[in-house]
Amino acid sequence: MYLAWAQEAVKTTTQAITPDVLLKVAKYLGAGLCMGLGAIGPGIGEGVVGGKACEAIARQPELQGVILRTMLLADAIAETTGVYSLIIAILLIFVV
């Protein structure tokens, strides 16, 4: 009984794939991939920079201020890649 109901539901809800639907699927998939892959690099980079900064501070505590400032600058530069990915994803969703 359930199988017959499911087959009937599939028959009544199937639609043809039009170029408009295909374009929407492509742009949402592209935006998702852009943000997903674009966030991996900054995440790994910031983690490495933070870990190395902790190691450096543990070795030379008197240079904490200089190391912290350099770490924050490196994190800000690494984060720009994620921001670029966000901008491209927004452009894909709203402009294309």
Side-chain angles (χ1 to χ4, degrees):
M1 171 132 182
Y2 176 75
L3 183 60
W5 176 82
Q7 289 173 343
E8 186 63 32
V10 168
K11 286 180 187 175
T12 59
T13 59
T14 55
Q15 297 176 353
I17 297 177
T18 63
D20 294 337
V21 171
L22 193 58
L23 181 66
K24 283 184 181 180
V25 167
K27 73 179 184 179
Y28 291 140
L29 184 63
L33 284 172
C34 180
M35 275 312 300
L37 296 175
I40 290 174
I44 293 172
E46 290 176 19
V48 169
V49 168
K52 296 296 181 177
C54 287
E55 290 176 13
I57 291 172
R59 290 181 183 169
Q60 295 180 338
E62 64 275 1
L63 295 177
Q64 179 181 4
V66 175
I67 294 169
L68 182 65
R69 183 176 65 230
T70 307
M71 181 197 73
L72 291 176
L73 181 63
D75 278 346
I77 292 170
E79 189 63 33
T80 59
T81 309
V83 174
Y84 295 148
S85 297
L86 176 65
I87 290 170
I88 297 298
I90 289 172
L91 286 174
L92 281 172
I93 291 174
F94 293 114
V95 176
V96 173

